[in-house]
Amino acid sequence: MLVVDSVGAALSSDDVLCEILIRLPPAEVFRSLLVSKRWLRFICSSGFLQFYLNRWPVSFRLLGFFVSNNLYLKRPKDGQRRPKSEPALPLLPTCKEGDDLSFSGILKQLGYLIDSSNGLLLGGRHPKSYSVWNPITNKHQKLPRPRVYFEELCMAFLVDGYPIEDMCYKVIRAKCECIIDDIKTVSIETYHSKTKTWYYSILTCSSSLALCPWMAGTVVRGVVHWYAAMGNLAIYDAQSDERRIEVIKLPGSNDYEERALGESCDGLVQYGWSNESGMEIWVLKSSDQGISSSNWNLRYRLKFKTMWRRNLRMVATGGCRFDKETQILSFYPKDSDSVYIRSGSEIFIYHRGTETVEPVSYHGRGSSIMWDFSKVVPYFRPCWPHSSACGAT
């Protein structure tokens, strides 16, 4: 009886329970949700999640592809206007959860897509109105109006951890200049969710710089990476007290049709470009001497003609057609070997390890999309359980 009581007392301790669960892979942890309400509450808590992710990587679920039409996003006063029949934030769902989101009415409240991070969505209408939506808690936060007007700008969305309960994030607006000569500063405005305030600051640059407007930066481990003119990449560490942007050259020439930035499986910045013949994937290595253009290493090179020849039977079996024009779309989160590509209105994922192409089925009318003027962005949500009981006391 004494042994049973001591075991029960041990399992009633959160510290002991944490030590047990931290040793289990995600699939086993998910099964443990059924043990009791207490275990359910503990596993779904943000505190345990942050601790657990220090040992185990989180997986992601693809909900669909957002389509952002650049003709409307940066529309001048006399430019092309979006038809009322066309949604501002169209989603091509790939699962039931994506279908539910598409018809929920949430996307109408967000305006145009700006960026997503760890499942959170940042939307708005440049240059005055922005809001953030947490799909896990279904909370919608409208940001206060920015204090500074930028005629042309690019943005970045930094989320702290995986938002199970409270949202903790930063939104950065960076001014884009039309000329490069002798400009070695960038004006930015940063919003902090904790203080609910915009802060204006000026960053110094390692060389002359002009950021590419109307694009969202890629964030890797708290560091923002923006495309810049003349084939450059602007790197800003938003966590550092040093208000500085490092400028390095992207590998290759400046005339690639499509390109993508992402995070590799080993936590490094990876860059991919494509033209009509194929694509290349590069990774940016760090060194003791800092970051420079010489730190780019070629990870692999792929010819589209060879890729399609090896996968003709698989594509035909899936009922998909591929166009002669193939281009890179995006990387899979924290994955070096899986790349989303598009051919016509069809979307595929290329797996480098097996050299296979897998069709990605989506719902919606892809034929009605102006693909040449649109950016297609996959929307992922972290696979982690959430329960309303987490907030119970």
Side-chain angles (χ1 to χ4, degrees):
M1 187 68 178
L2 182 60
V3 174
V4 175
D5 291 342
S6 61
V7 171
L11 290 178
S12 66
S13 167
D14 285 350
D15 292 338
V16 174
L17 182 57
C18 182
E19 288 299 321
I20 294 173
L21 295 173
I22 201 70
R23 289 167 168 78
L24 301 178
E28 295 299 324
V29 172
F30 293 168
R31 292 191 185 99
S32 301
L33 293 167
L34 303 176
V35 173
S36 68
K37 289 184 178 180
R38 176 174 168 268
W39 282 44
L40 170 67
R41 237 183 349 255
F42 185 81
I43 293 172
C44 293
S45 67
S46 59
F48 173 72
L49 173 60
Q50 301 301 331
F51 191 66
Y52 185 84
L53 292 182
N54 290 328
R55 177 173 295 191
W56 298 91
V58 70
S59 58
F60 294 86
R61 175 174 171 78
L62 176 67
L63 268 64
F65 295 88
F66 283 114
V67 182
S68 179
N69 193 318
N70 296 329
L71 294 178
Y72 310 142
L73 187 64
K74 54 186 178 183
R75 180 180 64 85
K77 292 182 179 180
D78 56 347
Q80 186 171 350
R81 187 177 298 274
R82 175 177 59 85
K84 292 183 178 180
S85 59
E86 183 178 334
L89 185 49
L91 174 68
L92 303 175
T94 55
C95 61
K96 183 182 182 302
E97 198 174 354
D99 281 329
D100 294 341
L101 174 60
S102 182
F103 294 104
S104 65
I106 293 294
L107 301 182
K108 291 183 179 180
Q109 302 177 35
L110 288 173
Y112 293 99
L113 174 71
I114 295 174
D115 200 5
S116 67
S117 178
N118 289 345
L120 293 187
L121 284 176
L122 171 64
R125 301 180 187 276
H126 292 305
K128 302 176 182 179
S129 175
Y130 304 101
S131 60
V132 174
W133 178 64
N134 185 343
I136 299 177
T137 61
N138 203 28
K139 290 183 178 179
H140 184 267
Q141 293 184 357
K142 186 174 178 60
L143 277 60
R145 183 170 175 169
R147 299 178 177 179
V148 183
Y149 172 77
F150 297 145
E151 184 172 350
E152 291 193 328
L153 70 154
C154 58
M155 299 189 68
F157 187 33
L158 298 86
V159 177
D160 185 11
Y162 297 91
I164 299 298
E165 296 169 3
D166 296 327
M167 292 190 286
C168 184
Y169 58 87
K170 293 179 183 178
V171 177
I172 301 176
R173 305 169 68 245
K175 183 179 181 181
C176 298
E177 301 285 357
C178 298
I179 57 175
I180 302 179
D181 296 342
D182 299 327
I183 297 179
K184 292 187 177 181
T185 61
V186 173
S187 299
I188 69 169
E189 197 175 17
T190 305
Y191 175 82
H192 296 259
S193 61
K194 290 183 177 179
T195 61
K196 296 180 172 52
T197 306
W198 290 96
Y199 299 92
Y200 176 80
S201 57
I202 297 178
L203 309 179
T204 59
C205 307
S206 58
S207 61
S208 298
L209 174 70
L211 298 173
C212 295
W214 315 116
M215 302 184 73
T218 298
V219 180
V220 177
R221 296 191 174 185
V223 179
V224 182
H225 302 79
W226 283 302
Y227 289 121
M230 306 299 293
N232 288 319
L233 183 68
I235 304 174
Y236 168 51
D237 188 351
Q239 304 171 107
S240 174
D241 294 332
E242 187 177 3
R243 302 185 183 277
R244 180 176 175 83
I245 290 181
E246 296 295 335
V247 183
I248 66 171
K249 278 286 184 183
L250 288 166
S253 63
N254 305 332
D255 56 353
Y256 298 127
E257 297 175 2
E258 297 295 332
R259 51 189 181 174
L261 282 167
E263 181 177 356
S264 67
C265 58
D266 44 0
L268 301 175
V269 177
Q270 57 184 0
Y271 168 70
W273 62 259
S274 70
N275 56 23
E276 61 181 11
S277 62
M279 68 179 178
E280 289 185 357
I281 307 299
W282 296 74
V283 64
L284 183 61
K285 300 280 188 179
S286 57
S287 65
D288 296 336
Q289 288 74 35
I291 300 175
S292 68
S293 302
S294 61
N295 294 131
W296 287 109
N297 290 341
L298 179 64
R299 183 149 272 178
Y300 64 91
R301 181 182 289 113
L302 175 70
K303 289 191 174 298
F304 289 139
K305 189 175 182 179
T306 303
M307 178 191 73
W308 289 124
R309 189 186 304 121
R310 290 174 177 169
N311 291 272
L312 280 175
R313 182 176 299 177
M314 180 178 296
V315 174
T317 303
C320 299
R321 297 180 179 180
F322 64 90
D323 192 272
K324 289 184 178 180
E325 294 185 4
T326 305
Q327 55 190 224
I328 188 173
L329 281 184
S330 173
F331 292 103
Y332 193 86
K334 300 182 180 180
D335 190 331
S336 304
D337 294 330
S338 298
V339 184
Y340 285 101
I341 57 176
R342 179 181 68 83
S343 183
S345 61
E346 303 285 352
I347 298 176
F348 305 85
I349 183 167
Y350 171 74
H351 302 286
R352 180 199 174 197
T354 57
E355 297 186 337
T356 56
V357 175
E358 176 187 351
V360 180
S361 300
Y362 62 83
H363 311 149
R365 297 177 59 189
S367 58
S368 64
I369 296 174
M370 294 187 289
W371 294 97
D372 292 338
F373 301 100
S374 300
K375 184 171 180 60
V376 182
V377 183
Y379 175 49
F380 297 95
R381 188 175 296 178
C383 294
W384 194 262
H386 173 71
S387 171
S388 59
C390 294
T393 56

